[in-house]
Amino acid sequence: MRPDILNPLFAEVETLDGVGPKMKKPLDRLGLTRVRDVAYHLPERFVTRRAVQTVDEAGEGEQIVLKLTVTEHRGGRNPRAPYRVLAQDSIGNVIALTYFGRASYTAKKQLPVGEVRWVAGKLERYGDMLQIVHPDHVLEEGGDTLQRLCEPVYALAEGLTQPRIAGLVEQALARAPELPEWNDANQVEREDWPKWREALKAAHKGEDAKARDRLAYDELLANSLALMLVRADNRRRKGQPLIGDGSYRGKLALPFPLTGAQKRSIAEIEGDLAQEAPMLRLLQGDVGAGKTVVALEAMLIAVEAGAQAALLAPTELLARQHYETLRRMAAPTGAEVVLFTGRDKGRARESILMGLLDGSIDIVVGTHAIFQDTVAYRNLAMVVIDEQHRFGVGQRLMLAGKGKRAPHVLAMTATPIPRTLTLAQYGELDVSKLDELPPGRQAIDTVVMGQDKIGLLVDRLAAQIAEGRQAYWVCPMVRESDGPEEIAAAEARYAALRERFGEDVVMVHGQLAPELKDAAMERFASGDAKLLVATTVIEVGVDVPNATLMVIEQAERFGLAQLHQLRGRVGRGSAKSICILLRGDTLSETARERLALMRDTQDGFQLAEEDLRLRGGGELLGTRQSGDAAFRIADLEQITRLLPAAHDDARLLMERDGGLEGRRGEAARILLYLFERDFGVRTLRGG
Ligand code: ADP
Ligand code: MG
């Protein structure tokens, strides 16, 4: 049960004044669903404005506040053209206030001709005219807001403005209660940290490193503590020792010998499974390193020991593909493998449920549907999680079977994350590394090309297809993965390529009905379709060895780790593969550097580290804005700097007060709820 003191923070955002169904949408997009989220929606930066008498005193690009007299409104007939309000400063200089789209309605109301207004915003030059685009403030009197001059700038979504969100933040902060201190008193004193509520308020007011650090540390501490609680609980519980006799594995007829790294990883897993303590192991291996076989061997050990195993995939598409691969490989062993997704209905569903319950199904592959309450297993003893990016899935799973014996968990990831980040994301878990690619792989040639060469590229593509090869075409990521812009770009490219290649082209994107997506994937995987046009949904896991060409449009928009994942879709067979990175014509220096690096290295670990250096770790930890991120307050620099201390601190707290009963322990419980790491609390008696 969440402590009552937190109730005001966990109220829905709709309880804030001015939030109706219309504003709910942009707030949702920002991940702000509760008052707490709004209070923690920290400014991206601050602007400092200068009050000026005339525009002559201000430089271009400067944030200013000045008094203007409105002289004329221009536009309004063509809704696509900008709407301009002309105004004069005290000595008659003309400046345009420019509005796009629906914002012009506001302008008409706020800026009647002949009136005097205080206007705040960024001064820019447009042709030979000075302008302010979408002023931040327009006031009749130079009120408080403009006097303050230093203002937070928040991340926005369409339908929100800075003043709106600032107003909501203010309301949310007013509801924040005083909370007991969960940090170590000595540390708070040493670091000179403000109390929680003060820190939160200060972080919205101006640059305040101490406040920001304190808030980040809170989050890191909550995370470490939750992971440790679950781990400790897990150690207390008994798993099921799984010892295989090799009877299933012996019948596997793999078309290749295992690599040394694969053998080593399997041995490590086998050792863990034989123990009574449930396994929690991360299998890290670059794309194409061959994680699937390792997972299969591990699952077969469970089957040999008379238990069941499950493989959890993040999407239906990947679940299906894993299923096909595993079923094919496992066929000679006689193990019963099924696919189970949320889409199975009626008789098919019933029969799978039955098989899981009576134990006639040995291995189930699926999406999270395999862990619904309605699904009962005879003896599920081992779970493999593929491409776990989502925070804490493994931890939750360990708790899922509470009361019964805990399953052994193997998490697989192709994201080569540095040690600190592993610790942050998974806590203390064991790691097996596939640091060796299967033999015979040829390096993938990577070419960077201007978007204008697309005609030549299409000819090259035609030649590849004529040779019986297949290709991927990844469309640009405009703003977020598979938002409306992404879909539009993919649709347009698909239509264009279809004119040339007809039925040979298929398309997949996130908004497509699952049946259509599967149908398209199946045509591509079977070799019937030659070209797969996709948004980034193909990023993880898809395996079509005959595909030897990868085209990525506007490659500069992707992160290195992501490009590397995409590139890993080709070069899976023995034939030479090529990856073509199409770039726009205006590139920043960093973008140029990144694409050159992509061209020059194939090493996922090196790319991940460079990515960290060049653009911070957002990508490694998931997108910050999308509730998936492990951390929403702490940034990468803070994680690297503060996590080790938070981790040690959590351990000390656990050692002294493992039940979180004392005064600091009670406060720490509140912290866990505050950061929704309460699955940690649930491991405690009476928690
Ligand atoms: P990932 O680690 O990216 O999940 P996969 O398990 O999909 O990699 O394997 C990539 C490809 O390499 C598959 O086609 C698989 O059959 C093949 N493969 C796996 N292990 C070996 C090996 N030891 N020798 C040769 N090919 C292998
Ligand atoms: Mg894989």
Side-chain angles (χ1 to χ4, degrees):
M1 276 283 285
R2 182 191 308 135
D4 288 343
I5 194 171
L6 293 177
N7 288 348
L9 288 169
F10 279 82
E12 308 282 326
V13 276
E14 284 99 323
T15 63
L16 296 172
D17 281 346
V19 182
K22 224 162 108 199
M23 206 194 274
K24 181 92 176 67
K25 230 167 144 192
L27 290 175
D28 270 351
R29 284 189 103 183
L30 292 169
L32 310 179
T33 58
R34 292 166 191 273
V35 171
R36 180 199 77 122
D37 307 327
V38 178
Y40 267 118
H41 190 58
L42 301 182
E44 288 186 329
R45 60 198 163 83
F46 291 85
V47 288
T48 314
R49 299 203 173 82
R50 202 155 65 85
V52 293
Q53 300 290 327
T54 73
V55 286
D56 301 334
E57 293 170 36
E60 276 168 41
E62 196 180 355
Q63 296 279 356
I64 55 166
V65 178
L66 87 168
K67 210 171 179 177
L68 294 171
T69 308
V70 181
T71 53
E72 188 188 339
H73 281 220
R74 276 190 197 167
R77 242 156 292 147
N78 177 0
R80 279 167 194 276
Y83 188 86
R84 290 209 161 81
V85 178
L86 301 189
Q88 291 182 354
D89 67 12
S90 57
I91 56 167
N93 290 315
V94 176
I95 170 172
L97 308 174
T98 305
Y99 293 85
F100 295 93
R102 275 180 301 177
S104 64
Y105 297 120
T106 329
K108 283 178 200 160
K109 264 190 273 165
Q110 287 183 330
L111 294 156
V113 173
E115 295 289 311
V116 173
R117 291 289 182 269
W118 287 87
V119 176
K122 187 162 144 199
L123 186 68
E124 288 170 359
R125 178 170 292 283
Y126 177 75
D128 47 13
M129 188 160 32
L130 285 170
Q131 69 170 357
I132 294 177
V133 179
H134 287 192
D136 295 332
H137 299 282
V138 174
L139 296 180
E140 289 180 38
E141 293 295 324
D144 276 353
T145 345
L146 306 189
Q147 297 299 326
R148 253 196 281 131
L149 297 183
C150 170
E151 276 186 290
V153 179
Y154 293 102
L156 293 179
E158 165 97 43
L160 277 176
T161 61
Q162 291 297 343
R164 274 269 160 83
I165 192 95
L168 297 181
V169 167
E170 200 166 320
Q171 289 185 58
L173 289 177
R175 292 202 198 171
E178 192 98 57
L179 297 178
E181 184 58 76
W182 44 73
N183 285 313
D184 176 54
N186 292 327
Q187 179 172 21
V188 173
E189 194 176 328
R190 199 172 53 242
E191 304 285 348
D192 191 21
W193 279 343
K195 290 206 173 76
W196 175 74
R197 193 168 66 164
E198 273 71 75
L200 199 54
K201 288 186 174 167
H204 283 280
K205 255 208 200 114
E207 305 287 351
D208 187 330
K210 278 183 187 154
R212 282 271 188 164
D213 273 1
R214 196 235 134 97
L215 297 175
Y217 189 88
D218 289 348
E219 185 179 39
L220 296 169
L221 181 66
N223 185 63
S224 291
L225 201 52
L227 293 176
M228 263 176 228
L229 283 167
V230 175
R231 196 77 165 123
D233 178 65
N234 206 47
R235 285 206 189 94
R236 280 194 298 273
R237 293 165 71 197
K238 290 199 165 73
Q240 181 177 346
L242 301 172
I243 297 170
D245 57 5
S247 56
Y248 281 75
R249 282 171 289 166
K251 293 192 202 125
L252 267 183
L254 296 177
F256 45 72
L258 294 173
T259 64
Q262 284 171 323
K263 282 188 198 145
R264 196 183 61 232
S265 300
I266 292 167
E268 285 163 355
I269 294 167
E270 192 168 15
D272 284 359
L273 292 178
Q275 310 297 315
E276 203 165 49
M279 167 172 80
L280 180 55
R281 184 172 280 278
L282 180 67
L283 179 62
Q284 242 184 348
D286 211 341
V287 267
K291 294 184 285 297
T292 320
V293 184
V294 176
L296 177 61
E297 296 252 359
M299 292 195 287
L300 288 176
I301 294 173
V303 177
E304 287 168 9
Q308 292 165 299
L311 187 147
L312 175 66
T315 64
E316 298 213 359
L317 200 69
L318 290 174
R320 187 166 295 271
Q321 178 139 35
H322 270 309
Y323 165 69
E324 300 293 349
T325 314
L326 292 174
R327 194 191 47 163
R328 201 170 359 99
M329 285 201 282
T333 69
E336 181 68 16
V337 184
V338 298
L339 174 71
F340 185 68
T341 69
R343 267 194 286 143
D344 296 296
K345 297 271 143 57
R347 291 266 294 282
R349 181 185 162 86
E350 285 310 310
S351 115
I352 293 173
L353 288 178
M354 203 57 153
L356 292 173
L357 189 61
D358 69 17
S360 56
I361 293 172
D362 299 305
I363 295 175
V364 60
V365 181
T367 54
H368 59 274
I370 59 180
F371 294 117
Q372 281 162 2
D373 287 345
T374 48
V375 184
Y377 294 83
R378 193 177 75 87
N379 184 11
L380 178 65
M382 139 124 229
V383 178
V384 180
I385 308 170
D386 188 30
E387 296 300 348
Q388 174 187 351
H389 293 308
R390 225 168 237 288
F391 168 78
V393 178
Q395 282 73 23
R396 276 164 218 265
L397 275 178
M398 289 194 290
L399 293 173
K402 205 157 172 59
K404 287 185 253 151
R405 297 213 243 187
H408 297 279
V409 175
L410 178 69
M412 306 198 288
T413 178
T415 320
I417 38 183
R419 161 93 188 141
T420 324
L421 299 190
T422 324
L423 198 64
Q425 198 153 20
Y426 302 95
E428 280 166 340
L429 81 183
D430 304 306
V431 180
S432 292
K433 270 193 188 166
L434 292 183
D435 46 13
E436 178 188 348
L437 286 181
R441 291 280 165 79
Q442 296 192 40
I444 302 164
D445 280 346
T446 303
V447 183
V448 181
M449 239 164 88
Q451 185 86 19
D452 51 324
K453 305 249 170 56
I454 218 163
L456 287 174
L457 175 59
V458 172
D459 291 341
R460 192 156 173 185
L461 190 60
Q464 284 262 329
I465 290 177
E467 279 173 34
R469 297 282 169 206
Q470 290 170 277
Y472 295 99
W473 189 299
V474 178
C475 296
M477 185 168 59
V478 185
R479 227 174 340 174
E480 54 186 318
S481 72
D482 284 5
E485 282 110 328
E486 279 75 15
I487 308 297
E491 300 269 5
R493 182 59 67 208
Y494 174 63
L497 289 168
R498 244 187 119 87
E499 290 202 353
R500 170 94 181 236
F501 299 106
E503 289 293 306
D504 280 346
V505 196
V506 289
M507 171 175 65
V508 293
H509 60 64
Q511 304 296 312
L512 219 55
E515 305 80 51
L516 295 177
K517 202 150 73 180
D518 286 355
M521 268 329 284
E522 265 164 39
R523 282 199 58 215
F524 186 69
S526 71
D528 180 30
K530 306 298 180 201
L531 179 59
L532 178 70
V533 177
T535 51
T536 49
V537 292
I538 62 161
E539 188 181 342
V540 285
V542 184
D543 188 23
V544 180
N546 190 44
T548 49
L549 179 65
M550 165 66 67
V551 180
I552 304 172
E553 277 192 71
Q554 293 187 23
E556 71 273 14
R557 288 179 180 259
F558 294 86
L560 288 177
Q562 205 176 9
L563 287 174
H564 182 65
Q565 296 274 330
L566 287 169
R567 179 169 62 184
R569 298 302 109 212
V570 296
R572 307 200 131 217
S574 49
K576 184 83 198 160
S577 289
I578 303 169
C579 173
I580 295 184
L581 305 175
L582 290 176
R583 56 160 171 74
D585 10 283
T586 50
L587 282 193
S588 70
E589 196 45 48
T590 317
R592 202 175 294 279
E593 220 181 300
R594 290 169 59 236
L595 292 183
L597 200 70
M598 260 325 277
R599 189 188 53 215
D600 299 339
T601 177
Q602 308 255 342
D603 180 337
F605 274 91
Q606 196 192 335
L607 286 168
E609 265 166 36
E610 283 300 316
D611 216 18
L612 270 181
R613 192 175 66 73
L614 292 173
R615 56 176 242 166
E619 191 176 338
L620 295 178
L621 292 171
T623 322
R624 256 157 172 277
Q625 297 295 350
S626 77
D628 265 19
F631 300 101
R632 297 184 68 176
I633 313 298
D635 64 20
L636 186 76
E637 185 279 323
Q638 287 172 315
I639 295 173
T640 341
R641 179 161 51 86
L642 302 172
L643 185 83
H647 188 77
D648 290 347
D649 195 16
R651 176 159 338 129
L652 267 178
L653 185 60
M654 287 283 292
E655 278 166 12
R656 272 191 225 137
D657 182 9
L660 301 186
E661 306 285 351
R663 201 146 68 96
R664 196 180 163 206
E666 292 285 341
R669 285 182 188 226
I670 296 179
L671 173 70
L672 290 170
Y673 278 99
L674 182 64
F675 282 102
E676 294 179 282
R677 302 294 207 265
D678 40 304
F679 57 89
V681 185
R682 264 181 269 134
T683 65
L684 300 169
R685 262 183 305 275

